[in-house]
Amino acid sequence: AICYDFDHTLSPDDMQAYAFIPSVDFDKQTFWAESNAEAKRHHMDKNLAWMKKMLDEAIRRQKSIRRETFQAQGGAVELYPGLTTWFDAVNAYGLAHGVEVLHYVISSGLKEMIEGTAIARHFARIYASAFQYDESGVAVWPAQVVNYTNKTQFIFRISKGVFDENDERVNQSMPHEDRYVPYENMIYIGDSDTDIPSMKVVRDKGGFAIGVYDPQVQNRRRMCDLFLEKRVDFFAPADYTAEMPLYRIVCKAVDLAAARAALVEETRVLRGVVERCGE
């Protein structure tokens, strides 16, 4: 399983910046400054603050807040290089080595916008903040809020195969051999400090954390720090083109998953030998 943050990991900017913020006559700096100020003033979760501001500003300007409108705005979201072919390329590499690769988004952004992007069909599941909609399809309330700390629950859900957000079986103990995806076969790809809790969970349980940075900006300083602090195992430009460093790293992780599976099979064969020794 490869788990991706979205904003600044798969896209160069916050998803709201491409279509929504211009539609309500804001520049992105002002929108986020006002949203964050509101969160601080009311001791709010920052994600709840921007969700409220989205609804307030759209209603004030008589703009649509329907699900399909947000999904359509997702179609304007810019993606990093290589993403249109990344998923098929990684999946094909995995299958050639006997490994099924699954892709998941774990994002604080808006699920409906992600659903409207050109790459949405490649994700087995999209975990992100979302609105509740009334019978007419109009947003009325936050249905799900994903922040940097509660992102980690979705890593547990993916590993256990307990996918529904309200399924409390995620808290139950599960033997390693019964897991849908073993933790050591998981990769988390993110871009910033808000991904650190998820990166830590994956790393501590034997998987890999990969940090990415904007290849146009070439600002690697924070990734260098995270690497030295052992928060990430690897870092690379957010260029998803085949044969670029990120693709090469992920392919080597697939190789390792294949090797682990082969060794498990060797162990199974030897157990059969041991059982026959007692006959």
Side-chain angles (χ1 to χ4, degrees):
I2 307 178
C3 305
Y4 308 82
D5 175 46
F6 197 93
D7 292 338
H8 304 278
T9 296
L10 299 179
S11 174
D13 205 343
D14 298 310
M15 62 187 71
Q16 297 88 340
Y18 292 98
F20 176 81
I21 291 178
S23 78
V24 292
D25 305 322
F26 267 81
D27 63 81
K28 63 182 182 181
Q29 289 80 10
T30 304
F31 181 89
W32 292 118
E34 291 186 6
S35 174
N36 291 336
E38 187 80 353
K40 185 174 182 180
R41 183 160 54 250
H42 296 287
H43 305 282
M44 291 174 73
D45 183 285
K46 286 185 177 181
N47 297 281
L48 281 170
W50 66 250
M51 293 178 81
K52 181 177 187 301
K53 188 165 184 63
M54 282 184 69
L55 298 187
D56 288 348
E57 299 300 341
I59 292 170
R60 185 174 294 124
R61 290 164 179 79
Q62 298 183 320
K63 301 291 185 179
S64 171
I65 51 172
R66 299 176 65 85
R67 182 195 302 271
E68 57 264 32
T69 301
F70 294 134
Q71 290 173 332
Q73 290 170 342
V77 172
E78 182 182 337
L79 301 170
Y80 274 128
L83 273 170
T84 55
T85 57
W86 163 265
F87 302 95
D88 289 337
V90 171
N91 293 350
Y93 186 89
L95 289 175
H97 293 77
V99 176
E100 180 185 8
V101 183
L102 300 170
H103 306 269
Y104 299 86
V105 167
I106 307 177
S107 169
S108 293
L110 191 64
K111 181 178 182 179
E112 294 86 333
M113 286 189 179
I114 298 171
E115 289 172 341
T117 64
I119 57 175
R121 64 185 177 86
H122 295 288
F123 299 116
R125 194 91 182 197
I126 297 172
Y127 292 112
S129 302
F131 287 115
Q132 175 192 356
Y133 296 86
D134 65 16
E135 308 79 38
S136 302
V138 175
V140 294
W141 196 259
Q144 183 72 247
V145 178
V146 177
N147 60 37
Y148 67 96
T149 51
N150 70 15
K151 274 185 172 186
T152 57
Q153 69 157 301
F154 302 111
I155 293 169
F156 303 138
R157 290 191 180 282
I158 292 165
S159 177
K160 293 181 177 181
V162 182
F163 298 112
D164 187 87
E165 289 89 338
N166 292 306
D167 193 333
E168 296 184 359
R169 290 179 300 161
V170 70
N171 297 313
Q172 296 176 5
S173 178
M174 179 179 288
H176 180 273
E177 59 272 17
D178 292 341
R179 289 183 178 272
Y180 186 68
V181 179
Y183 287 117
E184 62 268 25
N185 282 3
M186 298 184 79
I187 298 171
Y188 185 92
I189 301 178
D191 71 282
S192 68
D193 289 3
T194 59
D195 295 302
I196 287 175
S198 297
M199 290 173 166
K200 178 174 174 53
V201 167
V202 172
R203 289 188 79 247
D204 286 354
K205 292 183 176 295
F208 295 112
I210 303 175
V212 294
Y213 59 90
D214 191 324
Q216 298 299 317
V217 177
Q218 292 292 327
N219 182 13
R220 296 179 296 184
R221 181 66 264 165
R222 186 55 186 143
M223 281 303 143
C224 291
D225 292 340
L226 292 177
F227 181 75
L228 292 172
E229 295 165 3
K230 301 187 186 308
R231 304 296 187 96
V232 298
D233 298 287
F234 311 98
F235 64 91
D239 186 331
Y240 294 80
T241 307
E243 307 309 329
M244 290 298 287
L246 186 58
Y247 178 80
R248 185 174 67 245
I249 292 166
V250 167
C251 287
K252 290 185 182 301
V254 170
D255 293 341
L256 183 57
R260 284 195 183 111
L263 288 172
V264 167
E265 178 60 20
E266 292 291 346
T267 301
R268 188 191 68 78
V269 171
L270 289 175
R271 282 179 179 150
V273 172
V274 169
E275 288 173 0
R276 289 194 296 274
C277 285
E279 295 176 354

